[in-house]
Amino acid sequence: MTGRIVKNISNDYTVLSNDKLYVCKVRGKIRNLKIKPLVGDIVTFDDKNNYILSIEDRINELRRPPISNVDQAFIITSVKEPDFSSNLLDKLIDIIEFNNIEPIICFTKLDLLDNLDSIYEYINYYKKIGYKVFLNTELNEISKVFKDKVTVFTGQSGAGKSTLLNNLDKKLNIKTSEISKALGRGKHTTRHTELLPINGGLVADTPGFSSLDFRDMTKEEIRDNMIEFNEYKDLCEYRDCMHLKEDNCEVKKQVGSNILNSRYENYIKFITGDKYENSSFNFRNKR
Ligand code: ZN
């Protein structure tokens, strides 16, 4: 039979298959492959003896939380308290894209803003370049995107993640808040990742992407995951253009019109960040 691992506690792997749960062990054959099964893995298993027989290739694999085959990541983005950070949002989008996960942007706390013009400029821009964008008040629309998907949540603390989860599914929030409470007390709790059913899909019960950085990415990968730049790169004079100081760079030409200023400015910061401080590039507009 085929199913998905939704929970792992030491050597017990809970596999979900046709709405039923099977607690399985791993047999020597798989252990020999030196692949540790992960929550999220699609596996074939022997439902008589409850053994995992094989693991399908993963479309992606996250370290923290340890989970595989994630389809989408909700980026909970506050517009006030904490203030909106286009830099953090663009960073998260870039890294999530790099991991072959679909970013979904959810803006929260719009009621705390007096003037919505500038935030709607962002909302419209991210929609224009192809992302799903929601306001946290659009619960009906949000609840529809979980079906048949594995979802993780990310975003600044205080951005309203638990409120949103609570509004979507009370059971889910109770679980996550218990966990964060336990962690907050500094108790040595055994953490395990679990996928919980919600609206026809599965949601990871951990904060997700707890420490996101560009460590594993090259400058080229950071560039290539600014997805809208790719629409113009073929018109750049240099095939490997980094869209910086090169002559006849089409991406730079589009900044301020088809490319949002902040997207380009954030990109520059990403590839000149700490990791790249010894870079041979120099930027006039570095702050
Ligand atoms: Zn260019």
Side-chain angles (χ1 to χ4, degrees), residues 233 236 238 241-244 246 248-252:
K233 66 175 184 190
C236 294
Y238 300 98
C241 188
M242 292 301 293
H243 320 312
L244 297 169
E246 295 93 338
N248 299 319
C249 168
E250 184 66 18
V251 169
K252 263 190 297 182

Side-chain angles (χ1 to χ4, degrees), residues 239-266:
R239 208 170 44 144
D240 57 351
C241 188
M242 292 301 293
H243 320 312
L244 297 169
K245 292 169 80 180
E246 295 93 338
D247 289 333
N248 299 319
C249 168
E250 184 66 18
V251 169
K252 263 190 297 182
K253 275 184 210 156
Q254 297 292 339
V255 174
S257 53
N258 285 315
I259 293 175
L260 197 65
N261 283 307
S262 62
R263 289 279 290 172
Y264 184 73
E265 285 162 15
N266 289 332

Side-chain angles (χ1 to χ4, degrees), residues 220-237:
E220 288 76 15
E221 285 164 340
I222 294 173
R223 174 196 63 192
D224 295 344
N225 288 292
M226 301 294 291
I227 58 162
E228 73 274 39
F229 293 7
N230 296 330
E231 285 178 41
Y232 307 103
K233 66 175 184 190
D234 290 344
L235 295 168
C236 294
E237 183 169 326

Side-chain angles (χ1 to χ4, degrees), residues 19-279:
D19 296 326
K20 280 174 74 179
L21 295 171
Y22 303 81
V23 179
C24 296
K25 301 274 187 200
V26 173
R27 235 180 4 197
K29 203 172 117 191
I30 289 189
R31 278 211 298 268
N32 293 342
L33 290 173
K34 292 186 178 147
I35 302 170
K36 197 183 176 311
L38 278 178
V39 168
D41 277 348
I42 307 285
V43 297
T44 56
F45 66 104
D46 170 351
D47 62 322
K48 304 279 184 302
N49 302 303
N50 285 18
Y51 275 116
I52 291 175
L53 302 170
S54 67
I55 304 170
E56 280 187 19
D57 288 343
R58 297 166 181 155
I59 56 166
N60 54 42
E61 185 180 330
L62 304 178
R63 270 192 306 243
R64 275 194 278 179
I67 182 173
S68 67
N69 299 320
V70 175
D71 296 303
Q72 55 192 18
F74 256 86
I75 308 172
I76 309 299
T77 305
S78 159
V79 299
K80 205 170 163 69
E81 297 175 18
D83 283 346
F84 174 59
S85 163
S86 73
N87 186 283
L88 178 67
L89 177 57
D90 288 336
K91 179 181 172 187
L92 291 170
I93 291 172
D94 201 284
I95 297 169
I96 288 166
E97 285 278 1
F98 172 67
N99 283 285
N100 294 320
I101 296 170
E102 181 186 356
I104 298 176
I105 305 162
C106 180
F107 286 102
T108 65
K109 305 191 184 179
L110 268 76
D111 52 315
L112 299 182
L113 287 183
D114 297 327
N115 186 335
L116 295 173
D117 292 351
S118 91
I119 204 69
Y120 268 96
E121 196 186 338
Y122 287 104
I123 291 172
N124 294 332
Y125 183 78
Y126 289 109
K127 280 185 180 170
K128 188 191 87 177
I129 61 174
Y131 290 124
K132 290 193 184 107
V133 183
F134 297 104
L135 309 182
N136 62 325
T137 46
E138 297 174 309
L139 280 177
N140 253 336
E141 288 77 10
I142 293 173
S143 64
K144 286 176 193 149
V145 301
F146 295 98
K147 194 168 163 34
D148 300 327
K149 306 275 188 190
V150 172
T151 306
V152 296
F153 280 80
T154 186
Q156 296 151 290
S157 59
K161 178 180 145 257
S162 11
T163 314
L164 178 67
L165 285 171
N166 191 30
N167 288 333
L168 284 167
D169 189 324
K170 296 254 184 310
K171 291 192 296 282
L172 199 63
N173 185 51
I174 289 163
K175 222 163 152 119
T176 47
S177 63
E178 274 170 5
I179 289 160
S180 31
K181 234 191 263 168
L183 290 174
R185 279 201 300 267
K187 270 196 178 168
H188 210 76
T189 44
T190 312
R191 272 301 287 121
H192 64 268
T193 304
E194 187 172 351
L195 289 171
L196 302 168
I198 177 174
N199 297 336
L202 294 166
V203 169
D205 68 340
T206 52
F209 293 103
S210 50
S211 60
L212 272 181
D213 55 44
F214 291 120
R215 210 178 336 179
D216 299 329
M217 296 171 67
T218 64
K219 284 179 188 176
E220 288 76 15
E221 285 164 340
I222 294 173
R223 174 196 63 192
D224 295 344
N225 288 292
M226 301 294 291
I227 58 162
E228 73 274 39
F229 293 7
N230 296 330
E231 285 178 41
Y232 307 103
K233 66 175 184 190
D234 290 344
L235 295 168
C236 294
E237 183 169 326
Y238 300 98
R239 208 170 44 144
D240 57 351
C241 188
M242 292 301 293
H243 320 312
L244 297 169
K245 292 169 80 180
E246 295 93 338
D247 289 333
N248 299 319
C249 168
E250 184 66 18
V251 169
K252 263 190 297 182
K253 275 184 210 156
Q254 297 292 339
V255 174
S257 53
N258 285 315
I259 293 175
L260 197 65
N261 283 307
S262 62
R263 289 279 290 172
Y264 184 73
E265 285 162 15
N266 289 332
Y267 164 68
I268 301 288
K269 286 178 191 158
F270 299 156
I271 64 166
T272 57
D274 289 346
K275 177 187 166 183
Y276 295 111
E277 62 185 359
N278 298 320
S279 136

